[in-house]
């Protein structure tokens, strides 16, 4: 299989403009003859569904939540990047492009990332026009803050609720199209399969989560905007319902899965408090603008702290190790996420962790409060501080926050070309569900940017190019391929319900999560990965013989919903391990202990691994086949990432 | 701690439903309320009993999916979402009563899960600025005073959970509707459709079967995001000024 990324010819800065001119258009009067399915209603899905409906296409939008407004984009806190250079501090499209490529440790496509930076400026305009209340200065103009991996202030924000405000903006645009009759909404509906007819995506099979009805929907194109798969780790900052099912079913129908091992571990999350933990809560990266990360200078002091003999505020300045500021003087606390996470792990591994489990470091606002007053800090981060206090019972204005890295985002995802189309014609993947823009590590405030770039400003053009070459006649849902897919879904449901097992779905999910975290988390080794692979194989076998899925299909059944998702996570987990094993280098969030610089930084191998790994499913219990898309860098020079 | 739970169980939207009592033990004070229910559900599942169904997703207090009427208060004793409520707010040996939102416009689907699509339809009636993607002015072209932007943000922070409706003796959706009407009425971008928006959203709110507002302030007191009833006053003003010049009369 040859992977054609379809990157347009020409200089980097002109590629997108040229491409927009060269691709085919659908006449405005003919757009109503095409149906498009959008699965997922987060930033990518809602913006795509609204924009395509505005153009005149007939859209069906699906989400598993009770309303499109609940999609997990809503939880993004810190902000959204855009190369507006409103601060006059030297930002530009090229600098945002460069920071993103470098931040991704040179494992993303230049052309995609440049386009992302280019359209970033339009996103802010669009959101403001929708009535998104971004933070403003006293003069009435938009405010910015800085984020990790950048030395300019280019992050737009709405207190600590930027994702919420952007999603509600996209949701309002979507709602308007629902009112106009151009979008039909299907909430509480889960996509169970993609239907491929004659090699082209022709629709989906869904399950109504209230009635259990299995239904087919046909369309000329299918867009998967279904987010990331961080919940393979059980504990992550993802929502409880976030899952890989849509992407994974597409994968099993032939769509390639790219760079699945590239996982982002976010440095600032509230540490695990016990076995009951169901999810982890992020504390926005924006806090690192003012908070200082530290641990005690010695193990002995940490031990006293853990025993409760002293508190953080008793520790003298000279006994504090501000390890990020010490090791990375120029970026300090604002190093990229992978670097910050790894260093937190190192100091905790040395025994210098600060809570009962030994897996936490301090994020301290003492100096910021002294400098700027508590009032100003409250204005900036009030909701985050409140959330921290509610969860932990501690007041972060008085004692330093305790944080630890947690799984947050997955850079890997379905392989797509420049048009965001997977290798299955007519099947697209947008936002976190695809792999395209963040390489091996995503910079803060870039996920919102990518989701909205894909939905508002990329897909409306590129999907037209495909539809213009597609006949108006739609495949009917009576087609044998639809019937077959429906039957397979029903069979799988019966199979799950009929297993005479004893263990709950969560029992398996927790075990899978622990294997993934221990062996395919912040640090990975060949030995560990091999061990994990056999453990997952065993767990999968056990799942299919010993899971107990209660209730029936024809009802609201949350354990059946979970069982489907966990079954897919078990298969994905194994592929992530394969991918991590194949990549004999360290880059970004993928850290193989065998490959590091003497200072403990990620050691890339550009000669052998400057490629996208794209995996092809070939059959049940068979090893997946690896395809490589070489990454060509014509504009940036590959260097050892340095934030010192 | 050990607790007795008195939980509303209802098979589906036609079943009559009723309370059932459960016991949970060894609950840690650091657990969230929903994690406590997870523990109960694991217990039930191990015994082969149908778990208690409830809505939840982000568990960060922002998606608005979790609900639950706990001991007679929406989202329980604190002014927060149920997912952010922790067991340290309860005492050992306590009996906790858990019900779904009760409102005609929010029919119960199963156990504690209700249908809140009425809220979506209120937004669809006019909770937006009618701009298409592309062709909009530069974001800094229209300065907005910080005070106005902040006030609009305060209204926009509504998570659409429905606690205001559940708290109200009339099951009124005025706080929810007014939050969106206010946000857009305050911003320059919302001016063009200002009157039409207020009229249409209120008409939809009434059509959904939500009750009228009698200014008790229960919604504001229970709103996990602290949305102020000033928004209701603002919406009333918007509405009156809209109807006196309305073309729909």
């Amino acid at each position: 299989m040859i992977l054609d990324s379809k990157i347009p010819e020409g200089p980097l800065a002109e590629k997108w403009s040229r491409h927009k001119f060269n691709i085919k258009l659908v006449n405005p009067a003919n757009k109503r003859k095409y149906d498009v399915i959008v699965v997922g209603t987060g930033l990518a899905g809602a913006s795509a569904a609204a924009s395509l409906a505005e153009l005149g296409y007939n859209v069906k939008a699906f989400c598993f939540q009770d309303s499109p407004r609940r999609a997990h984009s809503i939880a993004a806190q810190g902000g959204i990047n855009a190369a507006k250079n409103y601060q006059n501090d030297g930002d530009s499209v090229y600098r945002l492009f460069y920071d993103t490529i470098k931040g991704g440790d040179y494992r993303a496509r230049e052309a995609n990332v440049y386009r992302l930076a280019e359209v970033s400026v339009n996103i802010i305009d669009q959101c403001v026009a929708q009535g998104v209340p971004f933070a403003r200065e006293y003069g009435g103009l938009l405010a910015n803050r800085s984020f990790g991996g950048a030395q300019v202030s280019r992050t737009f924000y709405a207190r600590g609720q930027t994702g919420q405000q952007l999603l509600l903006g996209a949701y309002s645009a979507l709602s308007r199209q629902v009112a106009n009759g151009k979008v039909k909404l299907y909430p509480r509906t889960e996509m169970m399969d993609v239907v491929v007819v004659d090699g082209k995506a022709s629709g989906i099979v869904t399950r109504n989560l209230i009635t259990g009805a299995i239904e087919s929907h046909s369309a000329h194109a299918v867009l998967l905007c279904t987010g990331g798969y961080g919940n393979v780790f059980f504990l992550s900052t993802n929502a409880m319902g976030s899952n890989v099912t849509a992407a994974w079913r597409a994968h099993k129908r032939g769509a390639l899965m790219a760079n699945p091992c590239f996982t982002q571990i976010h440095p600032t999350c509230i540490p695990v408090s016990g076995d009951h933990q169901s999810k982890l809560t992020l504390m926005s990266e924006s806090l690192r603008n003012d908070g200082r990360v530290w641990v005690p200078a010695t193990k002995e002091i940490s031990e006293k702290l853990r025993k409760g003999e002293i508190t953080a505020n008793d520790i003298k300045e000279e006994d504090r190790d501000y390890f990020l500021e010490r090791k990375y003087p120029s970026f300090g606390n604002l190093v990229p996420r992978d670097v910050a996470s790894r260093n937190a792990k190192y100091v905790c591994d040395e025994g210098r962790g600060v809570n009962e489990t030994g897996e936490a470091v301090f994020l301290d606002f003492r100096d910021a409060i002294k400098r700027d007053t508590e009032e100003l800090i409250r204005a900036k981060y009030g909701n985050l501080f409140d959330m921290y206090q509610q969860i932990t019972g501690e007041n972060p204005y008085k004692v330093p926050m305790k944080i630890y890295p947690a799984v947050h985002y997955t850079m890997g995802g379905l392989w797509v070309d420049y048009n965001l189309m997977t290798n299955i014609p007519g099947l697209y993947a947008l936002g976190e569900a695809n792999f395209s823009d963040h390489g091996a590590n995503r910079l803060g405030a870039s996920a919102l940017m990518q989701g909205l770039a894909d939905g508002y400003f990329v897909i409306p053009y590129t999907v037209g190019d495909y539809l213009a070459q597609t006949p108006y006649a739609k495949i009917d849902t009576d087609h044998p391929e639809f019937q077959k897919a429906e039957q397979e879904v029903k069979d799988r449901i019966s199979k799950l319900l009929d297993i005479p097992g004893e263990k709950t779905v969560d029992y398996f999910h927790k075990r899978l999560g622990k294997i993934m975290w221990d062996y395919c988390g912040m640090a990975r080794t060949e030995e560990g990965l091999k061990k994990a692979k056999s453990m997952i194989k065993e767990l999968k076998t056990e799942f299919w013989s010993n899971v107990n899925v209660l209730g029936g299909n024809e009802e609201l059944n949350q354990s059946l919903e979970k069982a489907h998702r966990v079954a897919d996570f078990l298969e994905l987990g194994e592929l992530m391990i394969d991918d991590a094993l194949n990549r004999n280098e360290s880059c970004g969030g993928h850290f193989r202990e065998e490959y590091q610089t003497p200072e403990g930084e990620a050691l890339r191998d550009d000669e052998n691994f400057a490629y996208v790994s794209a995996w092809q499913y070939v059959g049940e219990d068979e090893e997946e086949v690896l395809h490589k898309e070489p990454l060509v860098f014509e504009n940036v020079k590959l260097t050892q990432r340095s934030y010192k | 701690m050990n607790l007795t739970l008195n939980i509303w169980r209802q098979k589906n939207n036609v079943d009559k439903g009723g309370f059932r009592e459960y016991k949970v033990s060894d609950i840690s004070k650091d657990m969230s309320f929903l994690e406590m229910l997870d523990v109960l559900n694991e217990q039930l599942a191990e015994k082969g009993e149908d778990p208690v169904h409830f809505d939840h997703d982000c568990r960060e207090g922002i998606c608005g999916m979790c609900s639950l009427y706990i001991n007679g208060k929406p989202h329980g004793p604190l002014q927060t979402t149920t997912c952010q409520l922790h067991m340290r707010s309860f005492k050992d040996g306590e009996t906790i009563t858990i019900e779904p939102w009760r409102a005609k416009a929010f029919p119960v689907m199963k156990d504690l899960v209700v249908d809140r699509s009425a809220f979506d339809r209120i937004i669809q009636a006019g909770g937006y600025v009618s701009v298409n993607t592309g062709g909009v002015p530069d974001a800094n072209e229209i300065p907005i005073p910080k005070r106005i932007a902040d006030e609009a943000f305060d209204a926009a922070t509504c998570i659409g959970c429905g606690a205001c409706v559940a708290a109200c003796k009339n099951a009124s959706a005025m706080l929810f509707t007014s939050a969106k009407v206010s946000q857009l009425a305050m911003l320059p971008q919302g001016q063009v459709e200002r009157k039409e928006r207020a009229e249409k959203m209120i008409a939809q709110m009434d059509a959904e079967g939500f009750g009228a507002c009698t200014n008790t302030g229960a919604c504001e007191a229970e709103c996990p995001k602290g949305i102020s009833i000033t928004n209701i006053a603002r919406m009333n003003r918007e509405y009156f000024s809209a109807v006196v010049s309305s073309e729909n009369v």
Side-chain angles (χ1 to χ4, degrees), chain B residues 45-68:
Chain B
E46 275 163 22
K47 285 192 279 183
E49 286 179 45
D50 197 22
V52 177
H53 281 60
F54 57 90
D55 268 328
H56 64 108
D57 200 26
C58 77
R59 295 203 179 186
E60 293 181 27
I62 194 75
C63 76
M65 189 130 171
C66 66
S67 49
L68 306 191

PDB file of all heavy atoms in Angstrom, chain B residues 45-68:
ATOM      1  N   ALA B  45     -23.690  -5.142  40.392  1.00  0.00           N
ATOM      2  CA  ALA B  45     -23.322  -5.947  39.225  1.00  0.00           C
ATOM      3  C   ALA B  45     -22.798  -7.310  39.665  1.00  0.00           C
ATOM      4  O   ALA B  45     -23.095  -8.330  39.042  1.00  0.00           O
ATOM      5  CB  ALA B  45     -22.282  -5.211  38.396  1.00  0.00           C
ATOM      6  N   GLU B  46     -21.997  -7.310  40.736  1.00  0.00           N
ATOM      7  CA  GLU B  46     -21.468  -8.592  41.210  1.00  0.00           C
ATOM      8  C   GLU B  46     -22.584  -9.529  41.676  1.00  0.00           C
ATOM      9  O   GLU B  46     -22.462 -10.737  41.584  1.00  0.00           O
ATOM     10  CB  GLU B  46     -20.436  -8.357  42.316  1.00  0.00           C
ATOM     11  CG  GLU B  46     -19.048  -8.086  41.733  1.00  0.00           C
ATOM     12  CD  GLU B  46     -18.085  -7.448  42.714  1.00  0.00           C
ATOM     13  OE1 GLU B  46     -18.310  -7.574  43.937  1.00  0.00           O
ATOM     14  OE2 GLU B  46     -17.116  -6.823  42.245  1.00  0.00           O
ATOM     15  N   LYS B  47     -23.686  -8.919  42.156  1.00  0.00           N
ATOM     16  CA  LYS B  47     -24.822  -9.731  42.573  1.00  0.00           C
ATOM     17  C   LYS B  47     -25.767 -10.034  41.410  1.00  0.00           C
ATOM     18  O   LYS B  47     -26.798 -10.681  41.587  1.00  0.00           O
ATOM     19  CB  LYS B  47     -25.614  -9.005  43.681  1.00  0.00           C
ATOM     20  CG  LYS B  47     -24.903  -9.047  45.027  1.00  0.00           C
ATOM     21  CD  LYS B  47     -25.838  -8.589  46.149  1.00  0.00           C
ATOM     22  CE  LYS B  47     -25.908  -7.078  46.208  1.00  0.00           C
ATOM     23  NZ  LYS B  47     -26.714  -6.537  47.290  1.00  0.00           N
ATOM     24  N   GLY B  48     -25.447  -9.513  40.222  1.00  0.00           N
ATOM     25  CA  GLY B  48     -26.287  -9.742  39.058  1.00  0.00           C
ATOM     26  C   GLY B  48     -27.512  -8.849  39.000  1.00  0.00           C
ATOM     27  O   GLY B  48     -28.444  -9.109  38.249  1.00  0.00           O
ATOM     28  N   GLU B  49     -27.496  -7.758  39.791  1.00  0.00           N
ATOM     29  CA  GLU B  49     -28.637  -6.828  39.754  1.00  0.00           C
ATOM     30  C   GLU B  49     -28.327  -5.669  38.810  1.00  0.00           C
ATOM     31  O   GLU B  49     -27.172  -5.272  38.658  1.00  0.00           O
ATOM     32  CB  GLU B  49     -28.904  -6.268  41.154  1.00  0.00           C
ATOM     33  CG  GLU B  49     -29.544  -7.258  42.093  1.00  0.00           C
ATOM     34  CD  GLU B  49     -29.765  -6.645  43.473  1.00  0.00           C
ATOM     35  OE1 GLU B  49     -30.235  -5.495  43.547  1.00  0.00           O
ATOM     36  OE2 GLU B  49     -29.430  -7.322  44.464  1.00  0.00           O
ATOM     37  N   ASP B  50     -29.357  -5.117  38.200  1.00  0.00           N
ATOM     38  CA  ASP B  50     -29.183  -4.014  37.265  1.00  0.00           C
ATOM     39  C   ASP B  50     -28.612  -2.789  37.990  1.00  0.00           C
ATOM     40  O   ASP B  50     -29.168  -2.344  38.990  1.00  0.00           O
ATOM     41  CB  ASP B  50     -30.546  -3.682  36.636  1.00  0.00           C
ATOM     42  CG  ASP B  50     -30.378  -2.843  35.373  1.00  0.00           C
ATOM     43  OD1 ASP B  50     -29.281  -2.878  34.781  1.00  0.00           O
ATOM     44  OD2 ASP B  50     -31.342  -2.162  34.980  1.00  0.00           O
ATOM     45  N   PRO B  51     -27.493  -2.249  37.499  1.00  0.00           N
ATOM     46  CA  PRO B  51     -26.906  -1.075  38.149  1.00  0.00           C
ATOM     47  C   PRO B  51     -27.862   0.122  38.080  1.00  0.00           C
ATOM     48  O   PRO B  51     -28.726   0.188  37.212  1.00  0.00           O
ATOM     49  CB  PRO B  51     -25.652  -0.793  37.341  1.00  0.00           C
ATOM     50  CG  PRO B  51     -25.428  -1.972  36.477  1.00  0.00           C
ATOM     51  CD  PRO B  51     -26.734  -2.683  36.337  1.00  0.00           C
ATOM     52  N   VAL B  52     -27.650   1.073  38.988  1.00  0.00           N
ATOM     53  CA  VAL B  52     -28.429   2.308  38.978  1.00  0.00           C
ATOM     54  C   VAL B  52     -27.909   3.170  37.828  1.00  0.00           C
ATOM     55  O   VAL B  52     -26.723   3.482  37.767  1.00  0.00           O
ATOM     56  CB  VAL B  52     -28.243   3.078  40.308  1.00  0.00           C
ATOM     57  CG1 VAL B  52     -28.993   4.395  40.257  1.00  0.00           C
ATOM     58  CG2 VAL B  52     -28.685   2.217  41.480  1.00  0.00           C
ATOM     59  N   HIS B  53     -28.823   3.533  36.920  1.00  0.00           N
ATOM     60  CA  HIS B  53     -28.408   4.365  35.796  1.00  0.00           C
ATOM     61  C   HIS B  53     -28.483   5.843  36.157  1.00  0.00           C
ATOM     62  O   HIS B  53     -29.473   6.300  36.716  1.00  0.00           O
ATOM     63  CB  HIS B  53     -29.290   4.076  34.580  1.00  0.00           C
ATOM     64  CG  HIS B  53     -28.885   2.817  33.867  1.00  0.00           C
ATOM     65  ND1 HIS B  53     -28.876   1.590  34.479  1.00  0.00           N
ATOM     66  CD2 HIS B  53     -28.462   2.615  32.595  1.00  0.00           C
ATOM     67  CE1 HIS B  53     -28.445   0.671  33.615  1.00  0.00           C
ATOM     68  NE2 HIS B  53     -28.192   1.258  32.463  1.00  0.00           N
ATOM     69  N   PHE B  54     -27.397   6.543  35.861  1.00  0.00           N
ATOM     70  CA  PHE B  54     -27.399   8.003  36.050  1.00  0.00           C
ATOM     71  C   PHE B  54     -26.536   8.612  34.954  1.00  0.00           C
ATOM     72  O   PHE B  54     -25.637   7.962  34.425  1.00  0.00           O
ATOM     73  CB  PHE B  54     -26.876   8.373  37.447  1.00  0.00           C
ATOM     74  CG  PHE B  54     -25.490   7.857  37.762  1.00  0.00           C
ATOM     75  CD1 PHE B  54     -24.369   8.619  37.472  1.00  0.00           C
ATOM     76  CD2 PHE B  54     -25.311   6.603  38.357  1.00  0.00           C
ATOM     77  CE1 PHE B  54     -23.084   8.138  37.771  1.00  0.00           C
ATOM     78  CE2 PHE B  54     -24.027   6.114  38.652  1.00  0.00           C
ATOM     79  CZ  PHE B  54     -22.921   6.887  38.353  1.00  0.00           C
ATOM     80  N   ASP B  55     -26.812   9.858  34.607  1.00  0.00           N
ATOM     81  CA  ASP B  55     -26.037  10.556  33.583  1.00  0.00           C
ATOM     82  C   ASP B  55     -24.788  11.166  34.190  1.00  0.00           C
ATOM     83  O   ASP B  55     -24.840  11.734  35.286  1.00  0.00           O
ATOM     84  CB  ASP B  55     -26.877  11.681  32.958  1.00  0.00           C
ATOM     85  CG  ASP B  55     -27.642  11.221  31.728  1.00  0.00           C
ATOM     86  OD1 ASP B  55     -27.126  10.345  31.015  1.00  0.00           O
ATOM     87  OD2 ASP B  55     -28.746  11.753  31.486  1.00  0.00           O
ATOM     88  N   HIS B  56     -23.700  11.093  33.461  1.00  0.00           N
ATOM     89  CA  HIS B  56     -22.451  11.698  33.914  1.00  0.00           C
ATOM     90  C   HIS B  56     -21.514  11.595  32.735  1.00  0.00           C
ATOM     91  O   HIS B  56     -21.664  10.724  31.898  1.00  0.00           O
ATOM     92  CB  HIS B  56     -21.870  10.916  35.096  1.00  0.00           C
ATOM     93  CG  HIS B  56     -21.487   9.507  34.730  1.00  0.00           C
ATOM     94  ND1 HIS B  56     -20.187   9.098  34.620  1.00  0.00           N
ATOM     95  CD2 HIS B  56     -22.234   8.436  34.385  1.00  0.00           C
ATOM     96  CE1 HIS B  56     -20.144   7.814  34.250  1.00  0.00           C
ATOM     97  NE2 HIS B  56     -21.375   7.396  34.095  1.00  0.00           N
ATOM     98  N   ASP B  57     -20.549  12.529  32.644  1.00  0.00           N
ATOM     99  CA  ASP B  57     -19.545  12.348  31.597  1.00  0.00           C
ATOM    100  C   ASP B  57     -18.203  12.929  31.991  1.00  0.00           C
ATOM    101  O   ASP B  57     -17.301  12.181  32.322  1.00  0.00           O
ATOM    102  CB  ASP B  57     -20.032  12.907  30.251  1.00  0.00           C
ATOM    103  CG  ASP B  57     -19.255  12.314  29.079  1.00  0.00           C
ATOM    104  OD1 ASP B  57     -18.731  11.189  29.225  1.00  0.00           O
ATOM    105  OD2 ASP B  57     -19.160  12.952  28.019  1.00  0.00           O
ATOM    106  N   CYS B  58     -18.074  14.265  32.026  1.00  0.00           N
ATOM    107  CA  CYS B  58     -16.723  14.810  32.213  1.00  0.00           C
ATOM    108  C   CYS B  58     -16.200  14.608  33.636  1.00  0.00           C
ATOM    109  O   CYS B  58     -15.011  14.480  33.841  1.00  0.00           O
ATOM    110  CB  CYS B  58     -16.693  16.290  31.852  1.00  0.00           C
ATOM    111  SG  CYS B  58     -17.386  17.382  33.110  1.00  0.00           S
ATOM    112  N   ARG B  59     -17.091  14.580  34.592  1.00  0.00           N
ATOM    113  CA  ARG B  59     -16.721  14.515  36.016  1.00  0.00           C
ATOM    114  C   ARG B  59     -15.734  15.608  36.412  1.00  0.00           C
ATOM    115  O   ARG B  59     -14.857  15.419  37.244  1.00  0.00           O
ATOM    116  CB  ARG B  59     -16.178  13.120  36.391  1.00  0.00           C
ATOM    117  CG  ARG B  59     -17.250  12.040  36.250  1.00  0.00           C
ATOM    118  CD  ARG B  59     -16.996  10.807  37.089  1.00  0.00           C
ATOM    119  NE  ARG B  59     -18.085   9.840  36.914  1.00  0.00           N
ATOM    120  CZ  ARG B  59     -18.198   8.728  37.592  1.00  0.00           C
ATOM    121  NH1 ARG B  59     -17.294   8.411  38.507  1.00  0.00           N
ATOM    122  NH2 ARG B  59     -19.201   7.902  37.390  1.00  0.00           N
ATOM    123  N   GLU B  60     -15.858  16.755  35.753  1.00  0.00           N
ATOM    124  CA  GLU B  60     -15.047  17.920  36.107  1.00  0.00           C
ATOM    125  C   GLU B  60     -15.925  19.120  36.387  1.00  0.00           C
ATOM    126  O   GLU B  60     -15.431  20.238  36.505  1.00  0.00           O
ATOM    127  CB  GLU B  60     -14.083  18.281  34.961  1.00  0.00           C
ATOM    128  CG  GLU B  60     -13.014  17.256  34.709  1.00  0.00           C
ATOM    129  CD  GLU B  60     -12.082  17.668  33.574  1.00  0.00           C
ATOM    130  OE1 GLU B  60     -11.910  18.865  33.333  1.00  0.00           O
ATOM    131  OE2 GLU B  60     -11.541  16.765  32.922  1.00  0.00           O
ATOM    132  N   GLY B  61     -17.237  18.904  36.381  1.00  0.00           N
ATOM    133  CA  GLY B  61     -18.142  20.002  36.688  1.00  0.00           C
ATOM    134  C   GLY B  61     -18.409  20.952  35.539  1.00  0.00           C
ATOM    135  O   GLY B  61     -18.823  22.083  35.778  1.00  0.00           O
ATOM    136  N   ILE B  62     -18.164  20.529  34.314  1.00  0.00           N
ATOM    137  CA  ILE B  62     -18.327  21.494  33.221  1.00  0.00           C
ATOM    138  C   ILE B  62     -19.252  21.019  32.101  1.00  0.00           C
ATOM    139  O   ILE B  62     -19.828  21.832  31.389  1.00  0.00           O
ATOM    140  CB  ILE B  62     -16.914  21.893  32.673  1.00  0.00           C
ATOM    141  CG1 ILE B  62     -16.980  23.138  31.771  1.00  0.00           C
ATOM    142  CG2 ILE B  62     -16.255  20.755  31.926  1.00  0.00           C
ATOM    143  CD1 ILE B  62     -17.155  24.424  32.490  1.00  0.00           C
ATOM    144  N   CYS B  63     -19.434  19.708  31.934  1.00  0.00           N
ATOM    145  CA  CYS B  63     -20.226  19.262  30.778  1.00  0.00           C
ATOM    146  C   CYS B  63     -21.720  19.390  31.048  1.00  0.00           C
ATOM    147  O   CYS B  63     -22.515  19.475  30.117  1.00  0.00           O
ATOM    148  CB  CYS B  63     -19.871  17.838  30.365  1.00  0.00           C
ATOM    149  SG  CYS B  63     -20.544  16.538  31.417  1.00  0.00           S
ATOM    150  N   GLY B  64     -22.106  19.399  32.331  1.00  0.00           N
ATOM    151  CA  GLY B  64     -23.517  19.571  32.672  1.00  0.00           C
ATOM    152  C   GLY B  64     -24.333  18.308  32.534  1.00  0.00           C
ATOM    153  O   GLY B  64     -25.550  18.334  32.631  1.00  0.00           O
ATOM    154  N   MET B  65     -23.679  17.194  32.325  1.00  0.00           N
ATOM    155  CA  MET B  65     -24.445  15.967  32.105  1.00  0.00           C
ATOM    156  C   MET B  65     -24.955  15.357  33.412  1.00  0.00           C
ATOM    157  O   MET B  65     -26.022  14.765  33.451  1.00  0.00           O
ATOM    158  CB  MET B  65     -23.583  14.948  31.346  1.00  0.00           C
ATOM    159  CG  MET B  65     -24.358  13.739  30.888  1.00  0.00           C
ATOM    160  SD  MET B  65     -24.088  13.385  29.157  1.00  0.00           S
ATOM    161  CE  MET B  65     -24.880  11.789  28.997  1.00  0.00           C
ATOM    162  N   CYS B  66     -24.209  15.491  34.500  1.00  0.00           N
ATOM    163  CA  CYS B  66     -24.676  14.861  35.734  1.00  0.00           C
ATOM    164  C   CYS B  66     -25.796  15.693  36.351  1.00  0.00           C
ATOM    165  O   CYS B  66     -25.893  16.893  36.143  1.00  0.00           O
ATOM    166  CB  CYS B  66     -23.535  14.628  36.724  1.00  0.00           C
ATOM    167  SG  CYS B  66     -22.766  16.090  37.390  1.00  0.00           S
ATOM    168  N   SER B  67     -26.652  15.006  37.062  1.00  0.00           N
ATOM    169  CA  SER B  67     -27.796  15.703  37.641  1.00  0.00           C
ATOM    170  C   SER B  67     -27.954  15.256  39.098  1.00  0.00           C
ATOM    171  O   SER B  67     -27.064  15.475  39.891  1.00  0.00           O
ATOM    172  CB  SER B  67     -29.039  15.418  36.799  1.00  0.00           C
ATOM    173  OG  SER B  67     -29.196  14.042  36.546  1.00  0.00           O
ATOM    174  N   LEU B  68     -29.017  14.573  39.421  1.00  0.00           N
ATOM    175  CA  LEU B  68     -29.315  14.008  40.748  1.00  0.00           C
ATOM    176  C   LEU B  68     -29.822  15.035  41.764  1.00  0.00           C
ATOM    177  O   LEU B  68     -29.195  16.048  42.038  1.00  0.00           O
ATOM    178  CB  LEU B  68     -28.109  13.261  41.366  1.00  0.00           C
ATOM    179  CG  LEU B  68     -27.456  12.158  40.526  1.00  0.00           C
ATOM    180  CD1 LEU B  68     -26.495  11.385  41.384  1.00  0.00           C
ATOM    181  CD2 LEU B  68     -28.457  11.262  39.843  1.00  0.00           C
TER     182      LEU B  68
END
